[in-house]
Amino acid sequence: MKKIKLLALSAVVAGLVISCQKNDVNEAQPDLASDLSIEEIEALTKAAVNPNGAVKEMMTDLDGNATMYVISGDIALERKKLLNGDYAMLEGENNTKQYRTFNLISGANTTIDILGYTGSCCALTTNMRTGLQWAVNNYNRLNTNLNFRLTFGSNTNGADMIVFNQGGTGVGGRADFPSGGRPGQLIRIDGGLANSNNNINEHVITHEIGHAVGLRHTDYARRRCGNNNEQDSAEGQAAGAINIPGTPTENRWGAAGLDSGSIMISCYDNSTQGEFSNFDVVALEFLY
């Protein structure tokens, strides 16, 4: 997610000023064919992600560097897990059709110990901590089997999810999809959110936790902002976005009944209250 000048965006959609994009909006995406190996392309395809537009990046995590594949700006897939097939499409899944990944959290792992990191390198600011608390409250209010137990500290042992400040000036975040029946573990929050209000922090963190429990972007077939509503190169025609029963569907050429208030839309405006839409609730309560 990145802040975009309102003037430039007004021709796209009034009021939308935040988009899930790479932190440097001026950095051109590399030619995938020259950047990824055949093995990596095949692994991304098996994970039901369109390799075109996926960007390989080296990120610094709490325990050192890790190679990640960044998709649509805020979804980060770990290289080791990807090549091991942890994100791969399950046999018999219907991939033709509010959207989920192929992998979800298993029943044995639905009690989730989530850590708001306060260590010296990557500590959450006061606004980020409040946003995280409110985001956890959003999930715990639902009628699901998910139970988030939030603590703040620097001891990551036993944490199922770790939310930390990755620095920089961006105002979004990045998260991993579930793998092996467990939630995505690392949720990276951009440093620029220190200057954003509590509701924006709540929105971004709720959104990224959504990816970590298996939700894809509601507007996966056509991004709502930052690109004149053109199809997103990483998500637009990718398989693996399974429509959740009881929620609207979006066809590959545009929004057919799109839930524009969904917290899993790929962008948001500064008036967001950071809350789930009705269909977000339907989706999560169906899945869990």
Side-chain angles (χ1 to χ4, degrees):
M1 296 182 182
K2 183 174 178 66
K3 195 162 188 174
I4 300 175
K5 292 181 180 179
L6 184 59
L7 180 62
L9 200 56
S10 60
V12 181
V13 54
L16 294 177
V17 295
I18 306 293
S19 177
C20 295
Q21 297 183 10
K22 280 182 58 59
N23 288 333
D24 185 355
V25 73
N26 295 317
E27 181 180 345
Q29 290 186 339
D31 180 359
L32 186 68
S34 62
D35 190 59
L36 299 183
S37 68
I38 293 175
E39 181 185 21
E40 291 167 331
I41 293 172
E42 289 178 348
L44 286 167
T45 302
K46 289 178 180 178
V49 171
N50 185 350
N52 293 313
V55 178
K56 183 164 63 174
E57 292 186 12
M58 181 69 75
M59 296 183 186
T60 301
D61 288 335
L62 298 176
D63 57 353
N65 292 330
T67 301
M68 312 294 291
Y69 300 88
V70 179
I71 301 149
S72 298
D74 73 328
I75 302 167
L77 305 182
E78 185 179 332
R79 184 177 191 275
K80 182 177 179 181
K81 290 181 179 179
L82 181 75
L83 297 183
N84 283 343
D86 291 353
Y87 305 113
M89 180 172 58
L90 300 178
E91 292 293 333
E93 288 282 14
N94 179 356
N95 62 7
T96 60
K97 295 196 165 181
Q98 235 126 14
Y99 295 86
R100 71 171 179 88
T101 62
F102 288 110
N103 295 327
L104 297 175
I105 302 170
S106 69
N109 298 312
T110 52
T111 294
I112 299 169
D113 287 311
I114 182 168
L115 176 71
Y117 193 75
T118 60
S120 58
C121 78
C122 314
L124 298 177
T125 65
T126 299
N127 285 3
M128 294 174 185
R129 290 180 60 159
T130 299
L132 173 55
Q133 180 65 72
W134 291 2
V136 167
N137 292 346
N138 285 339
Y139 284 92
N140 282 341
R141 278 194 293 265
L142 301 178
N143 183 25
T144 70
N145 292 323
L146 297 177
N147 175 33
F148 287 84
R149 301 189 299 200
L150 174 62
T151 58
F152 291 94
S154 58
N155 184 357
T156 61
N157 291 334
D160 300 303
M161 281 187 191
I162 304 169
V163 184
F164 65 95
N165 180 357
Q166 69 173 358
T169 60
V171 285
R174 288 173 176 170
D176 196 0
F177 285 147
S179 62
R182 304 186 67 83
Q185 186 180 36
L186 298 180
I187 296 178
R188 305 163 177 83
I189 301 303
D190 287 340
L193 284 169
N195 301 315
S196 298
N197 64 41
N198 293 335
N199 284 327
I200 290 177
N201 276 271
E202 175 190 14
H203 181 110
V204 171
I205 297 173
T206 301
H207 178 106
E208 300 305 335
I209 290 176
H211 287 314
V213 302
L215 295 179
R216 289 194 66 164
H217 288 135
T218 303
D219 57 334
Y220 91 95
R222 176 176 276 191
R223 296 286 291 280
R224 289 292 303 279
C225 54
N227 56 2
N228 296 312
N229 283 343
E230 293 299 323
Q231 290 180 330
D232 182 84
S233 60
E235 283 194 274
Q237 297 183 39
I242 304 171
N243 177 235
I244 301 168
T247 68
T249 59
E250 182 184 15
N251 65 36
R252 60 182 289 190
W253 301 116
L258 175 68
D259 178 16
S260 60
S262 171
I263 207 158
M264 296 309 297
I265 291 285
S266 59
C267 54
Y268 65 92
D269 66 29
N270 283 331
S271 66
T272 182
Q273 297 300 301
E275 307 299 329
F276 289 125
S277 73
N278 289 336
F279 285 118
D280 291 334
V281 174
V282 169
L284 286 160
E285 291 186 350
F286 177 86
L287 293 179
Y288 296 108

